[in-house]
Amino acid sequence: MKIRTKLLLIALLIMVVFAGTLSLTITAFSTIQQMEAGSRLATSGLAAWYDFSNHTDRLILRSDLKSFYADEWEPVYASLGQTMQLLTSNEALQSVEEINERLKDIEMLWGYVVPGADGIGEYFRDSNNAELLEEMSPYNLNQLRVMFGQGTDFDRFEANVDSFFFLLNRIGSASGPLEEFLSEMPDFLEQEVAAQSRRLILISLSMMLLGMLVVVLLVLGFTSRLVRRLRIIEDAMSLVSNHDLTAEVSISIQDETGMLAN
């Protein structure tokens, strides 16, 4: 193999090591960016949950319940649903086992909240509740509940109000654990992103150093062998220059030094 070919192979190896290290680094930083996006999403999810929880608490305090539901509560619930979907389906977060376990817990608790929240929407669409929603003003549901059993005209709506509170209780039963998980996620993800960053950067640097070490060893091995053969030829030529034609050169490598030796 010619010296030029060997040098080209070494150059090719250097390019492969560089390309591999660059690819690994790009992948690493892409993963970190996705996890940072997941961390921001977790923060958004927590804010959306607080907004939803606040609006849900206000449902029993509004006398204009029907318009409040349509104009404020329903859009907040829809926004929270989209955020929760994006958070629990984030592939970068799912790739980390410990984070994935937390996401599964959040998804499970959210799955318990959804029937209650969807039930509220069905409640407002149910014609059996239309009369209550039209006649309850100027009272709110909390006030109506206190008035039941006092011989008022609202006593006939007791079952309707109780069914609404049942839906709220379903949401409330999962609110505490879900809020706890969501509140922990941003800080946990921030720490995990930092740990992943250090780990991925360390791997990238290790790969680059390992590749450079291999290249250096190959170059040193190639040059040392080349220098050794050249010295053998130099010694033989020195003997010939002193009229010693018995000099022999034992180089079997089929490159330029082998041709020169012959």
Side-chain angles (χ1 to χ4, degrees), residues 73-90:
W73 187 91
E74 191 173 31
V76 167
Y77 172 53
S79 176
L80 174 62
Q82 293 175 356
T83 303
M84 294 297 289
Q85 172 64 26
L86 291 173
L87 177 62
T88 56
S89 62
N90 187 288

Side-chain angles (χ1 to χ4, degrees), residues 52-63:
F52 170 75
S53 183
N54 179 54
H55 278 75
T56 301
D57 290 341
R58 292 165 63 189
L59 283 172
I60 62 173
L61 302 176
R62 298 294 295 255
S63 58

Side-chain angles (χ1 to χ4, degrees), residues 144-170:
L144 289 180
R145 207 175 191 190
V146 173
M147 294 166 57
F148 291 149
Q150 298 180 9
T152 65
D153 291 339
F154 290 110
D155 285 350
R156 68 185 189 276
F157 298 127
E158 183 172 1
N160 303 74
V161 174
D162 285 345
S163 63
F164 192 85
F165 273 88
F166 173 81
L167 296 171
L168 293 179
N169 288 335
R170 182 181 178 93

